[in-house]
């Protein structure tokens, strides 16, 4: 069943993001008392009285010629086109402005059902301004206060009046996030994959401040793609907005199945690239390195750069490397097949008999060293989890497991079974049940 879509639009700083977060029931959009914080379309599934719908937050539309305003206006217009219902939010405290008329002109051209939400009605001045907004020429006006809940039930009842109740269905689609330092080309990569301008792309580092979910269809299967804000080192996070963005990037990794770590080929590999990849591994996510901006590299071959990547990322030798240019789309076709492969590997399950044969052969081939006259014995091994694959070993004494032997066992599992692109977890338990 296709869910209806609702878009929140308006000029900057009227409370769109506050209302967005209230409707979805969690802080998804960044809230800051600064105009122009929300730049891209922010998508989220919302539920009200068992009625599900998609909600879109948009950047504030401003007639002044500020940076990003053309892109913000374009994104808002795309959101309006996608929506069945548009909630036009105005600031009751400040009253009617030229920007409000600009937004109303855009809405009239699209011929959508419009609900005007007059926000900040809890402020005394707003009471005197309510009827001025009728000049905008729409049919439905609802006074609200996003902060104090005034008018919220009436607004939601009006929005969802003709929506159908839906049953809870688990979203089994594979989610992958595009992560990396600022200005490595994450948004450009997302646009190249989607083959549409879904997010604002700019050469200025830090343009994408919010995580943005999009649906990508490949070989008749849907994937959820998450673009994230550029991840800066914590010491370089100055603005509070940037702090929210870093937190959101980490949260995006947490809710992903696979992470694409984007490397800027022109700038080369940095220590921060390693930290970002390390966090994804630490969270047990599938991993693919995407080397972007290859069109800017002149003096290095693909083979040479891959060799350099393996040397620098020795802790993730299992991760595939895809080298491409999101701008020119050269080699972009090589990325999705790798995502499909990693998607299968993160949920792969190995038969217990095959697994035990592999581990016992590895054990006999290379016996663990003795410690104070005692040697590790492995009695039984089983796979006890997926995403990432997890293997539990029943042993005589887990204190006898040396990290080098654990690494040896992991390498043997990887040699015998294809786990390219996914970390694997080895857990050791004493046979008597002691953890």
């Amino acid at each position: 069943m296709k869910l209806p879509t609702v878009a929140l639009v308006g000029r900057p700083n009227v409370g769109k993001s506050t209302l967005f977060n209230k409707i979805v029931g969690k802080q998804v959009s960044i809230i800051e008392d600064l105009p122009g914080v929300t730049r891209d379309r922010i998508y989220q599934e919302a539920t009200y009285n068992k009625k599900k719908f998609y909600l879109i937050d948009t950047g504030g539309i401003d007639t002044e010629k500020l940076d990003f305003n053309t892109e913000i206006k374009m994104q808002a217009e795309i959101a309006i086109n996608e929506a069945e219902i548009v909630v036009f939010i105005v600031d009751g405290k400040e009253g009617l402005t030229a920007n409000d008329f600009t937004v109303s002109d855009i809405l009239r051209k699209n011929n959508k059902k419009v609900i005007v939400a007059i926000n900040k009605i809890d402020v005394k001045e707003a009471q005197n301004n309510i009827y001025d907004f009728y000049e905008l020429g729409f049919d439905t006006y609802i006074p609200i206060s996003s902060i104090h809940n005034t008018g919220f039930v009436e607004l939601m009842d009006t929005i969802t009046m003709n929506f159908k109740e839906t049953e809870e269905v688990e979203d089994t689609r594979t989610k992958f996030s595009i992560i990396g330092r600022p200005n490595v080309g994450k948004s450009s990569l997302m646009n190249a994959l989607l083959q549409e301008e879904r997010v604002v792309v700019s050469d200025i580092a830090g343009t994408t401040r919010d995580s943005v979910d999009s649906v990508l269809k490949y070989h008749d299967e849907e994937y959820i793609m998450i673009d994230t804000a550029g991840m800066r080192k914590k010491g370089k996070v100055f603005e509070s907005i940037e702090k929210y963005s870093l937190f959101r990037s980490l949260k995006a990794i947490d809710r992903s199945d696979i992470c694409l770590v984007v490397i800027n080929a022109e700038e080369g590999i940095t220590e921060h690239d390693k930290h970002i990849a390390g966090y994804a591994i630490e969270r047990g996510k599938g991993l693919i390195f995407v080397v972007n901006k290859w069109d800017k590299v002149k003096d290095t071959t693909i083979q040479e750069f891959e060799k350099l990547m393996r040397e620098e990322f020795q802790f993730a030798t299992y991760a595939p490397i895809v080298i491409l240019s999101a701008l020119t789309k050269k080699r972009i076709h090589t990325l999705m097949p790798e995502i499909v492969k990693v998607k299968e590997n993160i949920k792969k399950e190995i038969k217990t008999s095959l697994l035990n044969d592999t581990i016992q052969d590895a054990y006999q081939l290379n016996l663990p060293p003795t410690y104070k006259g005692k040697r590790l014995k492995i009695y039984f091994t089983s796979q006890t989890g997926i995403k990432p694959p997890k293997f539990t070993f029943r042993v005589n004494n887990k204190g006898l497991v040396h990290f080098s032997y654990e690494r040896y066992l992991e390498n043997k599992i990887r040699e015998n079974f294809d786990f390219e692109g996914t970390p694997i977890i080895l857990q050791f338990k004493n046979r008597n049940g002691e953890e």
Side-chain angles (χ1 to χ4, degrees):
M1 175 180 163
K2 184 178 181 293
L3 297 182
T5 300
V6 177
L8 306 182
V9 302
R11 61 184 177 84
N13 213 27
V14 293
K16 294 186 299 299
S17 296
T18 302
L19 181 60
F20 180 92
N21 290 337
K22 183 167 183 55
I23 293 172
V24 301
K26 56 186 174 181
Q27 188 158 323
V28 176
S29 278
I30 296 170
I31 301 171
E32 188 76 15
D33 193 19
L34 293 171
V37 170
T38 301
R39 290 171 176 162
D40 297 322
R41 285 171 287 164
I42 311 301
Y43 289 74
Q44 189 75 21
E45 194 176 283
T47 305
Y48 179 76
N49 287 347
K50 298 182 180 179
K51 296 177 179 180
K52 281 192 175 182
F53 56 95
Y54 289 117
L55 187 65
I56 311 177
D57 189 15
T58 62
I61 300 172
D62 196 339
T63 53
E64 293 181 28
K65 292 184 179 179
L66 299 173
D67 290 342
F68 304 107
N69 267 340
T70 302
E71 290 91 342
I72 290 169
K73 184 179 177 183
M74 179 191 71
Q75 297 296 349
E77 288 178 338
I78 293 172
I80 291 165
N81 286 329
E82 291 180 2
E84 282 79 25
I85 293 176
V86 178
V87 179
F88 177 14
I89 304 172
V90 294
D91 188 329
K93 180 182 176 182
E94 289 193 19
L96 200 56
T97 69
N99 279 336
D100 292 325
F101 283 109
T102 299
V103 177
S104 68
D105 289 343
I106 294 170
L107 292 174
R108 253 188 226 91
K109 290 175 188 174
N110 285 272
N111 197 30
K112 295 292 172 74
K113 179 180 177 181
V114 176
I115 300 168
V116 181
I118 306 171
N119 196 19
K120 307 181 186 180
I121 201 64
D122 51 301
V123 180
K124 186 177 179 181
E125 298 93 317
Q127 302 291 334
N128 301 322
N129 295 327
I130 288 178
Y131 295 103
D132 293 344
F133 291 103
Y134 283 70
E135 282 187 50
L136 296 170
F138 296 104
D139 296 328
T140 307
Y141 295 82
I142 301 176
I144 68 167
S145 169
S146 297
I147 295 175
H148 294 98
N149 286 342
T150 307
F152 182 74
V153 172
E154 184 185 353
L155 176 63
M156 294 309 300
D157 286 344
T158 306
I159 290 172
T160 60
M161 186 187 304
N162 297 315
F163 294 175
K164 296 178 181 178
E165 290 188 10
T166 52
E167 296 179 6
E168 281 291 332
V169 179
E170 184 186 357
D171 190 348
T172 58
R173 292 174 294 185
T174 299
K175 298 180 179 68
F176 65 89
S177 58
I178 302 174
I179 62 175
R181 294 183 292 112
N183 208 30
V184 293
K186 298 183 300 299
S187 295
S188 298
L189 176 61
M190 185 179 188
N191 290 337
L193 287 171
L194 284 170
Q195 297 182 336
E196 70 158 289
E197 296 297 315
R198 175 57 60 89
V199 293
V200 176
V201 181
S202 167
D203 290 332
I204 301 171
T207 299
T208 301
R209 286 173 167 172
D210 291 297
S211 299
V212 183
D213 289 9
S214 296
V215 177
L216 180 147
K217 201 164 188 177
Y218 181 76
H219 289 178
D220 296 324
E221 187 171 357
E222 286 189 350
Y223 296 78
I224 303 296
M225 181 162 53
I226 307 166
D227 181 30
T228 60
M231 296 173 66
R232 302 180 189 275
K233 290 181 184 177
K234 286 188 177 179
K236 293 187 177 179
V237 179
F238 298 109
E239 297 178 67
S240 58
I241 296 170
E242 296 283 1
K243 289 179 184 176
Y244 286 129
S245 300
L246 173 61
F247 178 71
R248 182 167 290 104
S249 295
L250 300 180
K251 291 284 284 184
I253 292 172
D254 285 342
R255 65 189 181 92
S256 301
D257 300 306
I258 302 168
C259 294
L260 310 188
V261 179
V262 184
I263 308 291
N264 185 338
E266 191 178 17
E267 294 179 357
I269 303 159
T270 70
E271 283 300 311
H272 194 37
D273 293 325
K274 298 177 186 178
H275 292 317
I276 292 169
Y279 185 84
I281 294 168
E282 179 186 311
R283 305 306 292 174
K285 306 303 178 180
L287 191 68
I288 298 173
F289 290 113
V290 180
V291 180
N292 190 25
K293 304 189 182 184
W294 189 247
D295 54 302
K296 302 289 181 67
V297 177
K298 305 299 179 188
D299 302 324
T300 307
T301 65
I302 287 178
Q303 291 75 18
E304 288 170 338
F305 205 94
E306 284 181 346
K307 183 180 178 183
L308 177 64
M309 288 284 293
R310 292 303 179 205
E311 290 172 355
E312 294 291 334
F313 292 96
Q314 292 184 24
F315 57 88
T317 54
Y318 59 83
I321 300 169
V322 178
I323 297 180
L324 51 77
S325 167
L327 184 66
T328 65
K329 295 186 173 59
K330 189 171 183 181
R331 295 177 56 84
I332 194 77
H333 65 280
T334 62
L335 180 53
M336 281 309 299
E338 293 296 338
I339 291 173
V340 173
K341 186 194 300 181
V342 175
K343 177 198 74 169
E344 296 302 322
N345 287 346
I346 60 176
K347 59 184 181 181
K348 180 179 290 183
E349 296 186 67
I350 306 300
K351 285 184 178 179
T352 304
S353 57
L354 287 176
L355 180 62
N356 277 277
D357 287 346
T358 298
I359 296 302
Q360 289 305 319
D361 287 347
Y363 183 85
Q364 295 301 328
L365 184 66
N366 180 16
L367 290 173
T370 58
Y371 178 72
K372 292 184 177 180
K374 296 181 179 180
R375 190 191 303 276
L376 174 73
K377 292 180 181 178
I378 301 174
Y379 301 116
F380 183 76
T381 310
S382 60
Q383 184 172 353
T384 51
I386 59 172
K387 289 187 177 182
K390 180 180 179 181
F391 301 93
T392 300
F393 294 72
R394 290 291 179 178
V395 298
N396 60 331
N397 184 349
K398 65 180 185 178
L400 295 172
V401 182
H402 192 270
F403 75 89
S404 61
Y405 200 75
E406 182 176 347
R407 191 189 311 137
Y408 165 73
L409 293 173
E410 178 182 338
N411 289 338
K412 284 300 178 182
I413 291 174
R414 289 189 180 279
E415 283 176 18
N416 286 271
F417 310 104
D418 181 11
F419 282 110
E420 184 182 17
T422 180
I424 61 177
I425 296 172
L426 306 189
Q427 181 182 50
F428 297 86
K429 290 185 177 183
N430 293 343
R431 189 166 62 169
N432 61 12
E434 182 186 336
E435 293 291 334

